[in-house]
Amino acid sequence: MRTGAPRDITPLLTYGYQVKIGEYISRGWELLQPKLGIFIGYVAVIVGINLVLGFIPFIGSIVSSVISPVLNAGLFIVAYKHLLGEPVEFGDFFKGFEKFAVFFMAALVSGLFTLLGFLCLIVPGIYLVTAYSFAQLFIIDQDLEFWPAMEMSRQLVTKNFFPMFGFSLLLGLINLGGLLLCGFGLLLTIPLTYCAMTVAYMDIMNQGANPINSTF
């Protein structure tokens, strides 16, 4: 994870950016393929951990809720490192625990806001669940605390909300397809989702760095 100064998203908020849905999916698949084995293995580990915790009354569900955001962040961490061309290994999936409190608080606060949004006639919840989709990547890429990461994600996604919502909806449908394949398809579609989201984040951020040539 980076430790440098946060990149300025002002150009993106001023001039906007393109959302290349089909390209993000295809390039996410290209990113996933060389490391498909470790991604599938890690998703299987997450499922196994949650199954074991499910057999522990009450405490198990609490532990699962606490560690799940960090375990999920591991998928972004490895996708991010791999996209940058850095060597990755299975242990990198667990590096989210180095910033445990930040990932946990981002998930907790965004989850509470989203729940309140869904209770307020659903539409605000749909907005927030989409708006916070890049929060973990801002933490990973720019070493932000949870609130600045959430706000930067919200501002960035809001600038081009409907294409971003369409992208998120398509990823959701892909995972639904994985679920319908007796659940086993999720071993593939979940890593694809995280890889595609990472590709999207990096492409959009690079559009801000070079508005004239937005190809990442």
Side-chain angles (χ1 to χ4, degrees):
M1 290 181 278
R2 293 185 180 181
T3 57
R7 287 189 281 179
D8 186 13
I9 65 170
T10 302
L12 292 166
L13 300 181
T14 302
Y15 301 108
Y17 56 88
Q18 293 179 300
V19 179
K20 311 162 191 175
I21 297 177
E23 181 178 328
Y24 297 154
I25 300 290
S26 63
R27 289 179 54 202
W29 174 243
E30 292 172 3
L31 181 67
L32 173 62
Q33 282 181 294
K35 302 296 179 182
L36 183 60
I38 64 170
F39 270 101
I40 289 178
Y42 182 66
V43 173
V45 167
I46 293 177
V47 172
I49 289 172
N50 283 289
L51 284 175
V52 171
L53 291 173
F55 286 105
I56 305 174
F58 185 65
I59 298 297
S61 60
I62 294 176
V63 173
S64 178
S65 299
V66 170
I67 66 173
S68 286
V70 187
L71 292 174
N72 294 338
L75 292 161
F76 274 137
I77 291 170
V78 171
Y80 173 82
K81 288 189 64 178
H82 185 38
L83 183 59
L84 292 181
E86 299 178 8
V88 296
E89 55 187 30
F90 195 79
D92 291 330
F93 284 111
F94 299 95
K95 286 194 173 180
F97 284 93
E98 296 174 5
K99 294 183 71 68
F100 176 88
V102 181
F103 285 120
F104 173 72
M105 288 301 298
L108 177 64
V109 176
S110 63
L112 288 174
F113 285 177
T114 300
L115 176 61
L116 289 173
F118 277 111
L119 293 175
C120 297
L121 302 178
I122 300 178
V123 173
I126 294 174
Y127 164 71
L128 289 174
V129 75
T130 305
Y132 291 139
S133 56
F134 284 149
Q136 287 189 322
L137 282 162
F138 272 109
I139 294 170
I140 294 164
D141 180 44
Q142 305 195 40
D143 199 34
L144 297 177
E145 293 300 317
F146 76 92
W147 183 253
M150 289 170 55
E151 272 298 284
M152 290 184 77
S153 177
R154 185 189 62 78
Q155 292 173 28
L156 185 63
V157 171
T158 300
K159 181 63 181 180
N160 211 352
F161 176 78
F162 288 105
M164 285 299 301
F165 173 70
F167 178 49
S168 298
L169 181 62
L170 178 57
L171 291 175
L173 292 173
I174 290 172
N175 281 293
L176 177 61
L179 181 63
L180 293 176
L181 294 173
C182 301
F184 291 106
L186 291 172
L187 294 173
L188 178 62
T189 61
I190 289 175
L192 174 60
T193 296
Y194 280 81
C195 287
M197 286 293 296
T198 304
V199 168
Y201 169 84
M202 292 297 286
D203 176 71
I204 291 168
M205 294 299 287
N206 278 277
Q207 289 183 47
N210 189 0
I212 297 176
N213 180 13
S214 62
T215 301
F216 173 63

